[in-house]
């Protein structure tokens, strides 16, 4: 299903070459101040055509907010509906794929599941879907920011993107993200651990193949004595709240934040589309050769930076809203 | 909250040193044949004290099935309630921890969240909780098995466990899992991708720090041309269903299974408890030294093997039950 | 929250005097044939200004389908996004209410909950919201219809609407609904009984005050022997499937359909707005007099007929999609 | 599925003649004081055999709390697991029903849905299931009580129970319930209206056929001017919070509480089992005569009083826990 979250939910719709993408962000508290221009800034960050290395598709990606926020930028507490028109679809680029399964794409699995082949440009599997995630994230992170929580991700080049492009090939990459200002005590201990929810959110991004937090995979080869995060000083004016001397744990213990920065890394596979002939099959069972002509990024991971931030924001906001309070007061 | 899944759900309860652990498995179809002895075999696999390298705590871990399955092992389609008594608690071992936060454990974050310090033996954060997961998994995997789906995990020693134990230290490790016999077309494309759900399930296991599927993290440094899974032959008697020549993708494309074996790896941090003096603080803000005496595995990852299998089974069963069918028939 | 259903969900947004209403219908199977003109016919049925007795507000209420259905009317299995522009808002009519709580409306409770007073025309509490329900219902009932399930409601005048209108007053009314062609075996026995879900759906319609099914409230004064539905003949060609001689039960036993027509009645209070002076208070605590000028139906129940049908369709479709099947096959 | 609620959830299991009933109450805040003896008092209220008019089945119905509450009665914030053994099953009484569908019971619909006939004593459809609801309710209402919210229901005899019993027949009845001390602002405006959730909860109780709140069904024949609840005085010391002069609305407007007592009525059909010969069919399609011998209440509604209270408590607690707060603070 197409809903993310439980307390603050984002439900999305849209095929990449249909009339519009869009979504509903539900559960935002009322009276939160939203800078609407910030939404445009975030969608601009994820838009293609930002550098010589990313896809040349250019479109304005202007979100139209249809409800839930007053003209002067106050949330009403009601669901925030929005759409983004698909203006620059050029579906002709994809026409050649009709009925041909592009290897390492979702074409074959979609066809197996849905039994229909009308997903021009990848349908729901297209990275274009993430525009709605960035819009949702751009709203909730303003609420987080008002609480002092900031999210920043960066691209890590694990292989030369330029070399890959010049070879008419593609490459993978990684995105590292830090959430600072998190209060301690956020997360649910068993099936809704904070890092479990982050993992699910990140693995939902197109082309993600691995997730780790704190010292991550490397901890599997470490000794216990090497990765103890010892208690440091109490934070001034906040008795019982500590800093830790190190942060091997990545800000989360037992699924609950400990007040240190949360950090994690997402690893992405190479863009499946490469500018070379690739043998495949079509829906009639014929052997075919695919020779891509559309606009494609040689490295999807580069454009994933604002998407990682948005999904981190949606995850954290959801868990903060759902966090149970102590004692009898509600 | 303490519920896993959406269509076949497992809801659990129990503190490790309270009277019992238990759970409710809801959503199983009726008329599925269950071998009740198989549940005991699975809990036996995860029980401590199975080798010189694992914790010496010994308990029978006999699940009492309270509903949902007839005496001759047929599911009724009603919720399956079960409990496991905590017979061998010896909470005295833990008495010394009262009020002292064990570093890298969940003690401090639980206390921050709940404001109460009665979690003998780790409360809900204890690995004992996973006995309920293994019981739930032992039931659903029999349903999967009847469909031809099998799940097998193995421990990968990334560091010498024996050396760690001899040094009064602990170590991390990894568990690799393969799901074979999966039909193509299972998984939901956007927020409920099959690998996204598997990642969440696995990261929920105690001490998990990283998850990857298919060629995983390594794909971030690969070229697109190196990891294409090309279409092989049609499977005999199943027109339109293909084998692939390779399986870099790990059996999932666009969040939906492609019919190849699904494989993934979970990486675990070292057991946080080590048999050495460790400085910490207590709930009164005093500096203390923790000197563990309880029974502790030097490597939690070793005992995670049946837990990984159980959570994989619960995830796959949930997604198969929830899978939408094509066309107008229901 | 603003989502209805669990397996086929409708999530909606929109304030009655904001730019648009809209929603996302998620979970429809793929390859279902949809007559798009039928959606217009259904929204036309609920539109105001259809008779001398209903509100004179006139607007086209043309749903724009943004995703999930191909141009030739086949569902893709992906979420169906839609919007309806609010073209004829005339919010001036409501300007006089700013800050004044209309008695028996939701103004005061909204203000208490959200702390903001920008809900021109009733905001989310307006009956305009139901346009999205009718659109969602218009889609799912075509799927139900293909299975032989039909839904028909009618207005029951319990008090003269014309008299009420002439007295510058308003009146209540009732809507009776029958669902025919239901297969037996739909519904969940405990907390998700079919009639329980219908009750929740119907009580969610503006102004609904009571719900009953089968012989309903009258059964509380009947003897057991008076309301037994005895087994009639087996239905030809369907061994083990029976007709019943009577239908006191209203087609549901133990929360599960028995194959007889499902029937229920919803009772509505009078339109709270009446064309008379009504004393009230405003947000500043001043005593005020409210003298309505907008367009208001003297009887909201009349316009609820297609809304009752739509919510019945959404409820039944959701439960059919979620219905567990017998045995090991999925 | 067998889960009630979203923020504070009760998940139950148990067949009436299996080894035990039980449940998991999840989502209770930590540090709430619970009087465990109060749980016994509530289960005692619903137990059969309390008067000459109710079923003679006698059992202790002692809940065993297995987790989530400390020995001295403090909630831990973790799930509260409990079981009640079925000690006095006497399934022989029901043996005669094997394979015979009792009219107006759930036997036939269960068999249609699940394809299995092992539900001695009604399986999950038995009123015995409600013991778990009363236990869950007994816990949450102590939390509500600490906030000043009290719930009280009473039986309304709409037909003589004694006469029905003497005629070897059964009769329906009604239960009226009042929730006092509710703060204003609780409830969600669209699909999760407070009365919508109450309706679903009440209609889930065995034999419930109708639900109404406030002036209920009678309002459908009233004029708008007759049922206006005008604003009264501000409550002392609470600026902007009002009493109303009347309470036709039953304490809820637009799905949100207005601070007045919430009142509603549930109408129940007669006990389907009567002490007379009743013609029916069996699973082999033979015509049979059913002649009940078990212990049966002539009026199920009488015993529903504590069940109505429990479900009201669970509903209100869930909505209070899920209530969104205003502004940026969490």
């Amino acid at each position: 299903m197409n809903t993310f979250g439980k307390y603050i939910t984002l439900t999305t719709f849209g095929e990449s070459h249909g009339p519009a993408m869009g979504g509903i962000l539900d559960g935002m508290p009322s009276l939160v101040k939203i800078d609407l221009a910030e939404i445009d800034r975030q969608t601009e960050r994820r838009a293609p055509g930002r550098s010589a290395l990313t896809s040349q598709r250019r479109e304005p990606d202007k979100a139209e907010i249809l409800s839930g926020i007053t003209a002067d930028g106050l949330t009403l507490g009601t669901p925030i509906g929005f759409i983004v028109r698909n203006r620059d679809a050029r579906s002709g680029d994809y026409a050649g794929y009709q009925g041909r399964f592009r290897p390492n794409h979702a074409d074959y699995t979609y066809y197996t599941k849905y039994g229909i082949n009308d997903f021009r440009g990848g349908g729901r599997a297209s990275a274009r879907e993430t525009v709605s995630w960035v819009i949702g994230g751009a709203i909730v992170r303003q609420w987080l920011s008002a609480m002092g929580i900031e999210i920043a991700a960066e691209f890590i080049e694990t292989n030369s993107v330029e070399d890959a492009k010049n070879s008419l090939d593609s490459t993978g990459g990684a995105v590292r993200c830090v959430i600072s200002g998190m209060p301690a005590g956020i997360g649910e201990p068993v099936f809704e651990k904070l890092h479990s929810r982050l993992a699910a959110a990140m693995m939902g991004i197109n082309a993600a193949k691995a997730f780790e937090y704190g010292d991550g995979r490397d901890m599997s080869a470490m000794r216990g004595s090497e990765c103890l995060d010892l208690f440091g000083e109490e934070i001034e004016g906040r008795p019982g709240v500590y800093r830790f001397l190190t942060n091997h744990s990545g800000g989360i213990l037992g699924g609950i934040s400990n007040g240190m920065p949360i950090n994690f890394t997402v690893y992405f596979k190479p863009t499946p589309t490469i500018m070379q002939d690739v043998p495949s099959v079509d829906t009639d069972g014929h052997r075919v050769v695919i020779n891509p002509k559309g606009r494609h990024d040689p490295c999807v991971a580069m454009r994933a930076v604002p998407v990682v931030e948005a999904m981190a924001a949606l995850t954290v906001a959801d868990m903060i809203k759902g966090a149970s309070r102590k004692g009898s007061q509600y």
Side-chain angles (χ1 to χ4, degrees), chain A:
Chain A
M1 309 283 278
N2 297 275
T3 297
F4 180 85
K6 186 167 170 186
Y7 305 97
I8 295 184
T9 57
L10 177 69
T11 305
T12 63
F13 67 84
E15 282 79 48
S16 57
H17 289 70
M21 316 304 291
I24 301 175
L25 180 72
D26 196 9
M28 275 291 287
S30 63
L31 302 177
V32 178
K33 187 83 188 94
I34 301 296
D35 174 2
L36 296 169
E38 177 62 20
I39 299 173
D40 295 337
R41 279 191 290 271
Q42 292 295 336
T43 55
E44 173 72 15
R45 284 179 70 207
R46 82 158 275 296
R50 287 302 90 87
S51 85
L53 293 172
T54 58
S55 151
Q56 296 307 308
R57 194 179 197 248
R58 249 316 329 224
E59 73 216 66
D61 275 351
K62 175 79 182 169
E64 185 186 1
I65 304 293
L66 298 170
S67 66
I69 304 181
T70 63
D72 48 338
L74 265 191
T75 57
L76 290 167
T78 59
I80 300 169
F82 60 86
I83 59 170
V84 181
R85 297 278 170 187
N86 290 327
R87 293 207 181 99
D88 179 27
R90 280 207 275 162
S91 60
D93 284 357
Y94 292 92
Y97 297 151
Q98 285 297 8
R100 298 165 175 228
F101 301 129
R102 292 168 296 163
N104 282 34
H105 274 278
D107 299 353
Y108 173 70
T109 54
Y110 263 61
Y111 190 71
T112 304
K113 181 178 174 66
Y114 294 109
I116 187 165
N117 187 40
D118 188 64
F119 297 97
R120 289 163 298 173
R124 291 288 289 160
S126 165
R128 174 124 188 87
E129 157 71 11
T130 59
V131 70
S132 295
W133 309 2
V134 169
I135 292 166
I139 296 170
V140 298
R141 66 196 297 178
Q142 298 192 42
W143 180 52
L144 296 179
S145 205
M147 295 183 222
I149 301 170
E150 302 294 343
I151 297 167
E154 61 180 336
F155 173 65
I156 297 168
E157 192 171 17
T158 48
N159 204 349
S160 166
V161 178
E162 185 136 30
D163 285 0
K165 190 178 186 186
N166 292 340
S167 318
L168 304 179
D169 210 333
S170 63
T171 183
V175 174
R176 180 117 181 119
C177 184
V178 176
I179 307 170
S180 56
M182 274 296 285
I186 301 301
E188 300 297 324
V190 179
F191 297 121
E192 304 279 333
K193 292 186 168 84
L194 181 46
H195 57 267
S196 192
R197 292 287 304 276
L198 284 169
M202 297 306 144
M203 295 304 282
I205 301 175
N206 302 48
K209 296 297 289 189
F211 171 88
E212 59 181 26
Y213 79 104
D215 286 358
R217 187 166 105 170
D218 295 345
M219 290 179 101
S220 72
M222 286 165 77
R223 288 277 181 91
S225 57
E226 293 175 291
C227 52
L228 287 173
D229 292 322
L230 299 179
F231 283 83
E233 297 301 306
E234 271 188 339
I235 294 172
E236 206 178 282
R238 304 183 59 195
V241 181
Y242 294 86
R243 279 202 197 78
F244 291 83
L245 300 182
T246 50
N247 192 19
H248 301 286
S249 300
I252 304 172
L253 279 169
I256 302 168
S257 61
N258 69 359
M260 293 290 282
I262 291 170
N263 59 64
F264 61 86
T265 307
V266 193
Y267 297 90
F268 295 89
K269 71 175 183 181
T271 311
T273 302
I274 55 176
M275 296 296 141
Q276 305 175 20
D277 283 0
V278 176
S280 188
V281 298
D282 67 15
T283 52
D284 296 326
H286 299 126
R287 297 281 153 177
V288 296
V289 171
I290 292 194
N291 191 323
K293 290 196 213 74
R295 300 145 302 177
H296 299 283
D297 296 321
C299 176
V300 284
M302 290 178 72
R303 284 183 54 203
V305 171
V307 181
V308 165
E309 291 178 8
M311 293 310 292
L314 288 163
T315 305
V316 165
D318 188 42
M319 299 208 79
I320 283 180
K321 180 113 187 282
S324 196
R325 269 142 288 262
K326 285 168 271 189
S328 291
Q329 77 282 19
Y330 74 94

